[in-house]
Amino acid sequence: MKQLKLCLLILLAGLITPAIGLAQDAPELNGANTAWILVSTALVLFMTLPGLALFYAGLVRSKNVLSVLMQCFSIACLMSILWLVAAYGLAFGDGGGMNRFVGLGKFFLDGVGWDSMSGDIPETVFFMFQMTFAIITPALIVGGFAERMKFSAVLWFSSLWLLLVYAPVCHWVWGGGWLGDMGFMDFAGGTVVHVNAGVAAIVAAIVLGNRKGFPGTAMPPHNMTLSVAGASMLWVGWFGFNAGSALAADGNAGMAMLVTHISAAAGSLAWVACEWIKHGKPSVLGIVTGMVAGLGTITPASGFVGPVGGLLIGISAGVVCYFATQYIKRVLKIDDSLDVFPVHGVGGALGCLLTAVFFAGNLGGPGGADYAMGPQFMTQVTGVIATVIWCGIATFIILKVLDAIMGLRVTADEETEGLDLVSHDERGYSL
């Protein structure tokens, strides 16, 4: 009997011990972090709907206001479904032998249950937070081809682009891919979001060609009131974008929020100063565009720099993006309708490079005494160039294939009539 009891005790100990080990190893849910990422998720979605939608809608002509709102809204819906079906798995799944380049698995959230964790927050929350990034990036590209692309082509292009461009680059940087492995620093999406969107926008603008009448015919924003309202929402929502990327309610999130705000303010003032000096008057369009430039440029650096870095990055964003916009529009005469490439593409690349500079401890960043700025700068250059090449080539191929199959652009007469009536049989205003 004693021997039987001893055997039962040994068997019971063998069953309990692994369970104890698993309980100790399992991540414990952090309520504060979970609550903050839930709020951040809502803030980032607020950036697209209504922020970006209103910002873009006010910048186009009145005959196209509904088309831009419809495109942003539809992209939000369609990208959400595609993120569930496949894109999340391509970005954050385990790619096995292909993991340096793309993820595989987790399609339809296979294997993600009620209790699945990503760090110390539920994986469902992480999935939703990253979904909002996947929504706003294709929506940003709308500004490159606004007022001239077929609605059906917008939907097909955005879908293919999410799967073939956004998801792989996201995996390279944040999903365990080769750029992350080599130490590339992109806190909240300098390459994943802004360089990607900027390059795709200018490629689309070139492939589709300029709007009818550009650059000879003036095409001013039809409603700056809408644009200022949308830009203000972008500024508020961007706190979720950058501070939320800390994935925790901690000092890193606090510093990211601080430098994001400082950079936005500095970018606005720097852009307005350039405009005031060059043209004699500051414009409302200039101050809100400078704000967006400051926000996009600080994005990759937001978790890696201090307040002085945020200030100088914001000033650089306002000046560099202002002159990039002038060069694209006036010298190259490329009709990137709403300046996506010079603001987001150039700004995102600039922010990635300056991250390596202002990460240094003697410039206010968290870098220690052994931080090597030169090698890190070259790593940043590598990440930017790789994103530009992949996005540029893949976007060009997607557009050309779609153009051959279904056509990308509305006719000249339809463009004159406006996409609100042509595509949706509705008017933005009945006055």
Side-chain angles (χ1 to χ4, degrees), residues 29-43 120-122 125 129 244 247-249:
L29 185 142
N30 186 302
N33 293 346
T34 301
W36 168 234
I37 304 308
L38 285 168
V39 171
S40 295
T41 299
L43 285 171
D120 60 4
I121 65 174
V125 176
F129 180 65
L247 296 178

Side-chain angles (χ1 to χ4, degrees), residues 71 75 142 145 149-159:
Q71 287 168 16
I75 285 171
V142 166
F145 53 68
M149 186 183 272
K150 294 177 180 178
F151 180 62
S152 57
V154 171
L155 299 182
W156 275 105
F157 168 74
S158 299
S159 301

Side-chain angles (χ1 to χ4, degrees), residues 72-88:
C72 289
F73 204 102
S74 300
I75 285 171
C77 298
L78 186 54
M79 297 308 102
S80 298
I81 303 303
L82 290 175
W83 189 246
L84 170 67
V85 172
Y88 178 71

